[in-house]
Amino acid sequence: MTKSAMIEKPDPWRVPVAAEKIPDTGLHRDLEADQATRVAVAEMGSLREVLMLQASFDVTPKSGGRFQVEGRVRARIGQTCVVTLEEMESDIDEPIDVIFAPPDQIPEMAALVDEAEESDEDTPDPPEPIDNGIIDLGRLATDALYLAVDPYPRKPDAVFEPLVEAPDPEDHPFAALKALKVTPKKSGAKKPKDK
C-alpha cells in the first residue's frame, strides 16, 4: 500500500457541534453546502455533480450523555443514466434519526441492538460515537446523502432492450463436423482408352 493510499481523505463537509455546548432545550441547525463543498462531496461520492445540498437537524440531549439527531437531508445530484448513458438529475430527500453516544457506551448499546435483531421488534440502528466531544452534522448529512444515492440511476422513460442478433445458419451443434467432412476429389479430364 502506498503512503498516499494510507492517508484518509478528509470529510468533504464538516459542521462540528461541541456536545458540551448543546443546551438542555436542544439545538436546531439549518445547513447549506457552498459550491466548494458540493464539488468535494461529488468527487468523494463519485457523482457527476451535486447541484444543491441542504440539511436541517434538531439535536436533543438524552440521558447518559447521549444525543438524538433528527432531521432531513435534501439534495439534487447529477448522474449518468445506466441505460442511455445520458446525463440526468436526481432528487434526494432522506430522513435522519440517529443517536450519538460517548465512545465508552457504544459496545453496550451495540449489544442491545444485536439482541433486538433476534426478536420480532423493529431493530434500532446502532449509535454513532461522539468523536472527541464533537457531533459532526456535515458528515452526518454527507453519509445520509451517499446512502440514499441510487447506484444504478435510470431515466424514467429509459428502457433496456437487449441486442438481438439473427441466428447464424452456420452456428449449430454439427458445424464442427461439417468442417471436417472430406469432399471427394473430382477427377480431371478422362484419359482416352486404347483402341
Side-chain angles (χ1 to χ4, degrees):
M1 188 179 277
T2 65
K3 187 174 182 178
S4 62
M6 292 170 51
I7 298 172
E8 192 174 310
K9 284 188 175 183
D11 292 323
W13 193 15
R14 296 202 30 98
V15 183
V17 174
E20 65 183 28
K21 296 194 176 186
I22 298 172
D24 293 341
T25 56
L27 180 71
H28 178 81
R29 288 283 187 260
D30 289 318
L31 312 173
E32 185 159 357
D34 61 18
Q35 175 67 24
T37 301
R38 292 193 315 267
V39 167
V41 168
E43 182 181 312
M44 183 168 273
S46 299
L47 300 169
R48 190 171 42 80
E49 63 185 329
V50 176
L51 302 161
M52 179 270 296
L53 176 55
Q54 300 172 335
S56 179
F57 294 118
D58 289 310
V59 184
T60 309
K62 299 291 180 185
S63 64
R66 294 186 292 269
F67 295 87
Q68 181 173 14
V69 179
E70 294 178 288
R72 299 197 88 72
V73 174
R74 292 181 177 86
R76 184 158 192 84
I77 59 173
Q79 294 181 282
T80 302
C81 176
V82 295
V83 176
T84 64
L85 301 180
E86 294 175 304
E87 292 183 356
M88 61 179 281
E89 294 179 359
S90 303
D91 290 316
I92 304 288
D93 187 357
E94 191 68 16
I96 303 289
D97 188 357
V98 178
I99 297 291
F100 280 84
D104 61 332
Q105 293 181 17
I106 299 293
E108 175 187 334
M109 294 181 76
L112 293 174
V113 168
D114 290 342
E115 287 175 20
E117 285 180 352
E118 295 172 8
S119 71
D120 292 337
E121 298 175 20
D122 286 341
T123 305
D125 289 331
E128 295 290 325
I130 298 172
D131 193 20
N132 294 322
I134 299 292
I135 296 173
D136 191 340
L137 299 178
R139 181 178 190 171
L140 179 61
T142 305
D143 289 348
L145 168 70
Y146 292 154
L147 289 172
V149 169
D150 182 354
Y152 304 105
R154 178 185 288 205
K155 286 185 141 189
D157 56 344
V159 178
F160 176 73
E161 295 189 23
L163 181 63
V164 178
E165 293 182 26
D168 182 359
E170 294 297 318
D171 186 23
H172 54 80
F174 299 107
L177 293 175
K178 184 177 180 182
L180 295 175
K181 183 178 175 184
V182 179
T183 55
K185 291 185 181 179
K186 291 185 179 180
S187 57
K190 291 188 177 181
K191 292 182 183 178
K193 291 185 180 177
D194 288 337
K195 294 184 183 180

